[in-house]
Amino acid sequence: MAEPDPKDPIEAATRATRSLKGLSSELTARVPQLLEAMRSAGTGLEPHSTLDRICETAAELAGARYAAIGVVDDTGEGLSDFVTHGVPEDVIREIGHRPDAHRALLGALLHDPVPLRLADLTADPRSAGFPAGHPRTRTFLGVPIRVQGEVFGNLYLAEKHGGSEFTDYDLHMVRVLATEAGIAIGNARLYEAARRRERWIDGSVAVTTALLSGGDADDALSVVAEQARRLAGSAAGIVLLPTADGGLEAVAVSAENPSDSLGVIIPPESPVVATLLDGQAVFMDDSASDGRMVTRLAGQFGPCMLLPLHSGGRVLGALATPRSRGARPFTEAERTLATQFASQAALALMMAEAQRDRERLAVYEDRDRIARDLHDLVIQRLFATGMLLESAQRGSVVPEVRNGVGRAVNELDVTIQEIRTAVFALQQEPAEAPSGLRTRVLREINMAAVPLGFTPSHHFVGPVDSLVGELAGKNLIAALREALSNAFRHAGASLIDVVVDATVTLPDGRDGVRLSVADDGVGIPEGGRRSGLRNLARRAESLGGASRFGPGIGEDGGGATVVWEAPL
C-alpha cells in the first residue's frame, strides 16, 4: 500500500480531523461549529481577504479576543505580511509597523513552527519585545499554517473570553482550522498567480499591438514604459536605449514626474550597463544603497528591476521598473514575469523596426520611380517644348511676341533646373544625424511644402542650435511634423507661419524653447478630433512643458495657432 503524501491537502485534512477521535462530548458538540468555520475559511480566492476571514473565523471558533496571521517572507527569517483581527484601527496606527519577527514569541514560532499554548503570556521570557501600544494579553495560542507542506506562516490567538485559558479542545480545533486554512491559502495563491500571469500577458499584447500599429516610435516606447510600470506596480517605468559612448539613456518614462528621469544617462562605467548589454537582468533590493547605481536618481527609489530588451541575439536597450523607497522587494514570480515581458517587448520592437524598414524601403522605391519619371519624361518634354518655343521666337517678326516667348523659355529653363534639384533630393536618403535644430526645422518645412503646395514661412529667435538640447529638439521636430500634418489634412490653409523661439521663459521660471505654427485655415472645430493635439501635449508634458492652441493668422483671427514649449 502506498505511503500517504504529507503534502496532499485532503490527506492533511483527514489526518488533522482523525485526531479528534476519542475526545470528549464537549469537543464533539463543537464539531458543527468547526465545520462551519472550515467552510467559511475555504470561501473566496483573494489572498488578503482570505487571511482576514481566517483570522475572524479562528477567533470565533476558539473564543479569542484577538487573532493574527504572520506570513513568512521568502527568506523564512521575517514576515512579509501581518493580518490582525480584534485590534482597533487606532491602535494599529499607533503601533505603525508590523512586529519584529526576530524577537518575542513570533521569532520562536518562526524558527520552531510547532503549536504553542501559554496560560500566562506575561510570565514567559519570550514575551519581551512587543511594540509600544500593543494590547495587553495574557493567554496565548499559536499554530503553524502549512501550504503544500511548506510553512506559510503562523496563526496567533490571544486573550480568551472570560479570562480562562485556551484548552486542549481549542488547540485541536484550531489545528484542524489551520490545515483547512493552508488549503484555502494555497488555492488563493494559485488563483492570484494565474491572474498575475494573465495581466502580464495582456500587457504584452497591448505593447505588441501598439508597436505594430505603425505609430510614432517614441510613442511606442512610451507604451512599453507605461505597461511595465502598471504591471510591476512600480513607481516608474523607464525605457533606456544605448548612447554613442556606450551608456544607456532614458528615452521614455512613465511616472508622476517623467521629466525628472527623462534624458538621465547611466554612464558606461556603471557595472549594470555591461551586465544589461550582455543580455542579463539586474535585480536590486534597494537602489539607494546599491553601489552599482551611480545616477542621481538612485536615491529616490528602493527595489528595482533592470531588464535587457533582448531578442534574436540583439540587445536593443533596457527596461527599468523601480519601486518607491521602503516598498517590498520584487518576488521571484514577479521577476520571472517581468523578464518574459521584456523579451516580448524586445521582439515587438524588432518587428516594428522591420516593419518601418519595409515602409521606408517602399517610400524610397516610390521616390526613385518619381525621380525617374521626372527625369525621363517631364524634363525631356519641357526641354522639347523649350526648343519649339525658341524656333517660334526666331521665326516671329513681332517684338512683343519675341520678348514674351523669350521670357517663357527662361521660365522653362528655371523650371527644368528646379525639377533636377527635386530629382536629386528624391534620390538622397534622409540625413541620419542632422547638423542642428535649424537644419531639421527647415527640412520639415520643405518636406511639408510638397503636399501643401506652398512653402510655409519661418522665423528663428535666438541661437536655437546651441541652446536647445537634443532631447527637446527631437521632440520639437516631432511636434512640428504633427502640427504641419494637421494643417495640411484638416485646416485647408493657404498660409502657414512657423516660429522657433529659444529665448522664452516658461511659467515656472525656467528657460525654454517655444514652437508656434500658425495658419489661416478653418481653425479647430468644436467636437472635432483631438488626437494630434493630445500627442503634442503628451510630448511637451513628458519634458515638463505644455502645449496649447489659439486663434490663427487669417482675417479676423481665422485659422489656428498651435504653441508647443518645453525646457531647454
Side-chain angles (χ1 to χ4, degrees):
M1 183 174 180
E3 289 293 327
D5 183 1
K7 292 189 178 182
D8 180 17
I10 297 178
E11 174 63 25
T14 302
R15 285 189 290 106
T17 307
R18 194 177 295 142
S19 66
L20 297 175
K21 292 181 179 180
L23 294 177
S24 70
S25 59
E26 177 186 349
L27 183 58
T28 304
R30 294 171 65 184
V31 167
Q33 183 185 7
L34 172 62
L35 294 177
E36 176 60 24
M38 292 171 67
R39 185 202 64 78
S40 176
T43 58
L45 289 172
E46 201 283 319
H48 206 277
S49 64
T50 300
L51 297 179
D52 286 333
R53 190 166 49 255
I54 292 170
C55 277
E56 181 180 359
T57 303
E60 292 175 356
L61 182 65
R65 182 177 180 182
Y66 305 115
I69 292 178
V71 181
V72 180
D73 62 18
D74 293 338
T75 66
E77 296 296 324
L79 299 180
S80 63
D81 200 0
F82 194 78
V83 180
T84 63
H85 169 75
V87 183
E89 288 294 328
D90 57 337
V91 174
I92 295 175
R93 286 194 298 270
E94 181 182 349
I95 294 174
H97 59 86
R98 65 174 62 109
D100 185 355
H102 295 282
R103 303 180 64 184
L105 288 173
L106 300 189
L109 285 169
L110 275 180
H111 296 104
D112 187 17
V114 295
L116 178 64
R117 181 159 51 99
L118 298 174
D120 187 356
L121 177 65
T122 60
D124 193 293
R126 294 170 295 182
S127 66
F130 279 93
H134 192 280
R136 294 180 62 85
T137 55
R138 192 175 66 85
T139 55
F140 177 85
L141 177 61
V143 176
I145 299 176
R146 287 180 168 85
V147 176
Q148 296 179 341
E150 302 292 334
V151 175
F152 169 83
N154 289 288
L155 171 62
Y156 312 108
L157 299 171
E159 203 63 15
K160 188 174 175 69
H161 289 306
S164 58
E165 301 177 17
F166 289 106
T167 65
D168 288 338
Y169 306 142
D170 294 326
L171 175 59
H172 281 287
M173 301 275 274
V174 173
R175 287 181 66 182
V176 174
L177 179 63
T179 302
E180 176 62 26
I183 298 172
I185 292 168
N187 291 337
R189 274 183 161 183
L190 291 173
Y191 177 71
E192 179 61 24
R195 287 183 57 195
R196 185 166 54 243
R197 283 194 297 270
E198 182 181 359
R199 288 194 297 269
W200 281 94
I201 291 171
D202 289 343
S204 296
V205 171
V207 166
T208 302
T209 302
L211 291 174
L212 299 182
S213 63
D216 186 87
D218 292 337
D219 292 340
L221 293 177
S222 296
V223 172
V224 175
E226 290 167 5
Q227 290 291 338
R229 178 192 181 193
R230 179 181 68 85
L231 294 169
S234 55
I238 306 172
V239 176
L240 303 110
L241 296 182
T243 61
D245 61 355
L248 289 169
E249 179 184 4
V251 298
V253 178
S254 174
E256 289 188 6
N257 297 304
S259 59
D260 292 344
S261 305
L262 202 61
V264 169
I265 294 177
I266 304 178
E269 58 268 18
S270 172
V272 300
V273 172
T275 303
L276 290 169
L277 295 181
D278 193 40
Q280 301 178 43
V282 176
F283 302 106
M284 301 178 179
D285 290 335
D286 185 17
S287 300
S289 60
D290 197 305
R292 294 173 294 177
M293 292 297 288
V294 295
T295 68
R296 59 177 174 81
L297 297 176
Q300 301 178 15
F301 299 116
C304 181
M305 292 188 292
L306 290 162
L307 310 166
L309 294 172
H310 178 269
S311 181
R314 290 180 56 195
V315 177
L316 306 180
L319 176 64
T321 57
R323 282 178 173 164
S324 303
R325 294 292 305 275
R328 66 172 179 83
F330 292 97
T331 64
E332 192 63 33
E334 288 174 321
R335 294 180 179 188
T336 300
L337 291 170
T339 302
Q340 294 171 350
F341 172 83
S343 297
Q344 181 66 29
L347 177 60
L349 282 169
M350 291 183 62
M351 293 172 63
E353 182 180 326
Q355 177 175 295
R356 286 192 295 271
D357 287 342
R358 289 194 298 271
E359 293 172 351
R360 191 178 298 115
L361 179 60
V363 170
Y364 290 160
E365 290 175 346
D366 198 40
R367 287 170 56 178
D368 190 54
R369 178 188 58 77
I370 294 171
R372 288 198 308 271
D373 289 347
L374 287 173
H375 183 272
D376 298 341
L377 300 176
V378 178
I379 290 181
Q380 295 299 328
R381 289 183 179 180
L382 288 175
F383 187 72
T385 302
M387 293 181 64
L388 289 174
L389 288 174
E390 287 180 341
S391 177
Q393 181 186 31
R394 289 192 297 270
S396 176
V397 296
V398 181
E400 291 80 1
V401 173
R402 291 171 63 88
N403 292 336
V405 171
R407 286 195 298 273
V409 170
N410 292 335
E411 287 296 326
L412 283 176
D413 287 340
V414 173
T415 301
I416 290 172
Q417 292 300 321
E418 290 178 346
I419 292 176
R420 282 176 172 164
T421 302
V423 168
F424 178 77
L426 286 170
Q427 292 173 335
Q428 303 302 307
E429 293 188 7
E432 293 295 331
S435 57
L437 180 60
R438 183 186 298 264
T439 302
R440 284 179 281 176
V441 169
L442 292 175
R443 179 181 164 203
E444 291 297 327
I445 290 174
N446 290 331
M447 289 178 65
V450 177
L452 286 169
F454 64 91
T455 302
S457 61
H458 61 274
H459 183 56
F460 296 95
V461 180
V464 297
D465 285 343
S466 59
L467 288 180
V468 181
E470 179 60 29
L471 188 62
K474 177 182 177 182
N475 282 274
L476 184 145
I477 292 299
L480 172 61
R481 187 180 303 128
E482 182 78 38
L484 291 174
S485 175
N486 289 340
F488 164 65
R489 290 182 296 172
H490 308 301
S494 60
L495 181 65
I496 298 177
D497 183 48
V498 177
V499 178
V500 179
D501 187 350
T503 64
V504 302
T505 301
L506 300 181
D508 60 4
R510 290 181 294 175
D511 294 332
V513 58
R514 177 180 297 147
L515 166 70
S516 302
V517 181
D519 64 63
D520 64 347
V522 298
I524 301 175
E526 292 292 333
R529 294 183 61 188
R530 294 289 192 274
S531 58
L533 295 174
R534 285 196 296 270
N535 288 339
L536 294 172
R538 188 169 65 251
R539 286 185 177 279
E541 290 167 1
S542 69
L543 300 174
S547 179
R548 59 185 181 276
F549 62 91
I553 55 176
E555 295 182 3
D556 300 324
T561 298
V562 175
V563 178
W564 184 96
E565 55 191 19
L568 292 173

